[in-house]
Amino acid sequence: MFLGIDVGTQSVKALLYDAHSRHVVDLHSAPLTLASTADGSREQLAQWWLTALEQCLKQFCARDKNAVKGIGVSGQQHGFVPLAADGQVLAPVKLWCDTATDVQCAEITENFGGRDHCIAEVGNAILPGYTASKIRWLKQHRPEDYARLATILLPHDYINFYLTGERVMECGDASGTGLLDIRRRQWHSGMLSAVDEDHDLSTKLPPLAKPGTVIGQLRAQVATQLGLPAGTPVATGGGDNMMAAIGTGSVSHSRLTISLGTSGTLFASTDQAVIDTDGALAAFCSSSGGWLPLLCTMNCTVSTELTRRILNVDLEQMEARSAAIPPGSAGVMTLPFFNGERYPNLPRGKGSILGLDEDNYSPDHLLRSAMESAVYGLRAGLDALARCGHTCETVRVTGGGAASGVWRQIVADCFDLPVTVQKVDEGAALGAALQALWTYLQAQGDQTQLQALVDTHLAMDPQRCATPDPQAVSVYKDYYQKYLRHVDLVTPFYTD
């Protein structure tokens, strides 16, 4: 058995994977709450994650837990876990969706010499989602806590610390801090100084572990709490997108993954760094030794969940009713920036619904438009990859939205690419378990390549795959361009 843990925004998941029979034996989740304020703050307490993890593990049977040979951890990217020397978490964790640090982003960018210089030197502009601005925010808003800061960790790093007592990062998740030179896979001293001009932040950043290595063993006390074997090896783990890349088989060139979750993500594995000078793509490292150019939108299922709520429609009804509306929603265009937005970079953005008339102003048009808008936002990532010289042949769809046949078909038509879906769709948690398996095999002297391993263990579901419909493809080409024009029109309202 191999245990995959995924610390998300809405829940913690734990998955037990049987490597011999190649199937998920058990899966449990525990919900998380989110502390939100009007200034854009989105925070959680690290203790909530530990409590939720214990709740998950209690539901597994003892026999299966005793068979665990390795653990892998996935975590929501960019969150800042400030740790004191004694291991105490000093403050609530600012999450990836926190947009309260746009002032700090501007300050860091100015200190470093401008946005273009940031992209040229470290591969990424400094955006509100990234960890860098959260560090500066803590310095300015909670100086007493900042004075006690000993170690900068990310959410998955903190779970690793809880499990093993080791303070360590890996390059995939670390590249989402904004502090890492993603080409050289090392901290950029100039960026560290731009974040904090008064202190040497390099002393607060943990070492970077290599893919396929064991970062530590499960501590006896934690093993007792979770009911797992003490000394179980813990793999490096990674950010949720990096683990989802493994869990969807996107660890080689030409494979593209879209995750339709709270946030929407699009990423592709490459064997060289992809730097987008326009800033649409985040230039991330992967957790498998390569790179993972990625576009992230902050409002994906957020848009559909809000629309369902005001219309009092359940998921089954949304599926049936949106399927009855033709592609393009008869001109209804949703700009779903309800939580602000990361791409386009509108941290103060608000949602809009445009193109309404007496014929299309109906609940069903609004439902389908909410689904289409999430895909339009991600479609910009395909354009950016093409602009950077990277082409893709298929799209692997994962996340909660992947359960919707309507949504899968919208992706196929809007991207004009065939869509594939796995029989077991637990991308990040499954990816963490598979990484733990790969790490275990490496330690045993088995040199199986990661791509070969995931191809062996992942099976597609032909019944849920989708192919582009030429007529719908033509419709979406037009509406996607309209979406981009609408974004340009509203941008000035949220950037003054």
Side-chain angles (χ1 to χ4, degrees):
M1 297 290 181
F2 292 87
L3 174 63
I5 298 167
D6 179 33
V7 179
T9 312
Q10 296 180 320
S11 68
V12 171
K13 292 181 180 179
L15 172 151
L16 279 177
Y17 182 74
D18 186 328
H20 290 299
S21 62
R22 299 177 185 173
H23 80 283
V24 174
V25 174
D26 211 349
L27 170 68
H28 293 287
S29 66
L32 294 170
T33 56
L34 185 67
S36 304
T37 55
D39 67 350
S41 293
R42 302 290 185 271
E43 299 175 341
Q44 288 175 337
L45 299 183
Q47 181 58 48
W48 296 349
W49 306 336
L50 304 185
T51 301
L53 178 59
E54 288 190 40
Q55 291 174 357
C56 291
L57 268 293
K58 284 179 180 178
Q59 299 179 72
F60 293 120
C61 78
R63 182 189 66 240
D64 290 339
K65 288 194 287 188
N66 286 334
V68 169
K69 297 296 184 182
I71 301 171
V73 179
S74 162
Q76 49 180 302
Q77 286 196 260
H78 315 310
F80 173 34
V81 186
L83 218 62
D86 62 0
Q88 176 187 351
V89 179
L90 294 168
V93 180
K94 280 194 166 301
L95 305 182
W96 62 273
C97 48
D98 189 301
T99 59
T101 63
D102 53 329
V103 170
Q104 287 73 32
C105 286
E107 292 171 350
I108 295 169
T109 300
E110 182 179 358
N111 290 348
F112 195 75
R115 172 185 173 277
D116 291 346
H117 191 53
C118 291
I119 294 175
E121 285 291 308
V122 300
N124 291 298
I126 301 301
L127 301 176
Y130 295 171
T131 317
S133 62
K134 298 174 175 65
I135 299 170
R136 189 173 179 87
W137 185 95
L138 186 73
K139 177 186 177 184
Q140 294 176 349
H141 290 265
R142 303 182 68 140
E144 292 183 0
D145 291 331
Y146 192 79
R148 298 179 57 204
L149 177 65
T151 311
I152 295 166
L153 294 181
L154 302 170
H156 111 268
D157 303 325
Y158 178 70
I159 301 300
N160 279 347
F161 170 71
Y162 164 73
L163 296 174
T164 68
E166 300 293 335
R167 306 181 192 214
V168 66
M169 282 194 186
E170 57 81 43
C171 290
D173 210 4
S175 59
T177 63
L179 306 174
L180 191 77
D181 179 340
I182 62 98
R183 298 179 187 88
R184 298 176 179 83
R185 284 181 159 82
Q186 61 188 28
W187 304 117
H188 194 288
S189 58
M191 185 58 74
L192 300 184
S193 297
V195 174
D196 185 343
E197 310 93 321
D198 305 314
H199 303 89
D200 181 6
L201 280 182
S202 66
T203 64
K204 304 180 189 304
L205 288 163
L208 295 165
K210 294 182 179 180
T213 58
V214 175
I215 60 113
Q217 285 74 38
L218 186 63
R219 295 185 294 143
Q221 179 182 354
V222 177
T224 299
Q225 291 171 344
L226 301 180
L228 295 168
T232 302
V234 178
T236 56
D240 52 2
N241 293 302
M242 290 74 196
M243 293 299 98
I246 296 173
T248 59
S250 292
V251 291
S252 69
H253 193 74
S254 83
R255 298 192 181 186
L256 180 70
T257 292
I258 288 176
S259 177
L260 302 173
T262 305
S263 63
T265 53
L266 171 148
F267 52 80
S269 291
T270 62
D271 53 11
Q272 60 184 356
V274 174
I275 309 297
D276 179 15
T277 55
D278 288 349
L281 293 175
F284 290 165
C285 301
S286 69
S287 294
S288 52
W291 284 266
L292 198 75
L294 177 148
L295 181 137
C296 177
T297 63
M298 296 178 69
N299 301 271
C300 187
T301 59
V302 170
S303 179
T304 55
E305 290 304 291
L306 289 173
T307 305
R308 287 199 310 110
R309 188 174 71 191
I310 64 169
L311 297 176
N312 194 27
V313 172
D314 63 25
L315 287 171
E316 186 175 343
Q317 291 171 327
M318 182 181 77
E319 185 77 357
R321 292 167 63 169
S322 61
I325 301 300
S329 301
V332 179
M333 185 71 67
T334 302
L335 305 186
F337 309 145
F338 300 103
N339 283 335
E341 190 48 83
R342 179 161 152 186
Y343 188 79
N345 184 26
L346 297 172
R348 303 299 181 192
K350 302 294 182 183
S352 308
I353 301 176
L354 308 172
L356 298 171
D357 59 36
E358 62 182 9
D359 295 320
N360 64 24
Y361 188 25
S362 78
D364 295 359
H365 286 87
L366 294 176
L367 286 167
R368 185 175 180 101
S369 178
M371 301 173 81
E372 290 174 336
S373 69
V375 180
Y376 293 148
L378 292 168
R379 177 66 174 75
L382 189 67
D383 292 349
L385 284 169
R387 190 169 61 244
C388 295
H390 187 82
T391 58
C392 301
E393 299 170 357
T394 61
V395 181
R396 185 74 48 84
V397 177
T398 186
S404 163
V406 173
W407 231 336
R408 296 194 301 268
Q409 189 62 51
I410 291 172
V411 172
D413 295 336
C414 191
F415 279 67
D416 194 15
L417 290 172
V419 164
T420 58
V421 184
Q422 292 169 197
K423 289 183 177 179
V424 178
D425 183 23
E426 291 297 341
L430 180 59
L434 291 176
Q435 190 204 53
L437 167 60
W438 181 56
T439 301
Y440 175 82
L441 294 174
Q442 296 284 304
Q444 302 299 312
D446 186 327
Q447 297 303 308
T448 300
Q449 295 296 307
L450 182 58
Q451 183 66 69
L453 183 140
V454 298
D455 285 344
T456 299
H457 286 267
L458 299 178
M460 298 304 106
D461 184 352
Q463 300 295 324
R464 297 196 296 159
C465 295
T467 56
D469 176 271
Q471 185 174 355
V473 168
S474 177
V475 170
Y476 279 125
K477 282 183 179 179
D478 180 47
Y479 277 105
Y480 171 59
Q481 293 301 319
K482 289 181 179 178
Y483 171 85
L484 296 178
R485 291 196 295 272
H486 285 318
V487 171
D488 288 340
L489 287 171
V490 304
T491 293
F493 290 104
Y494 308 119
T495 52
D496 291 338

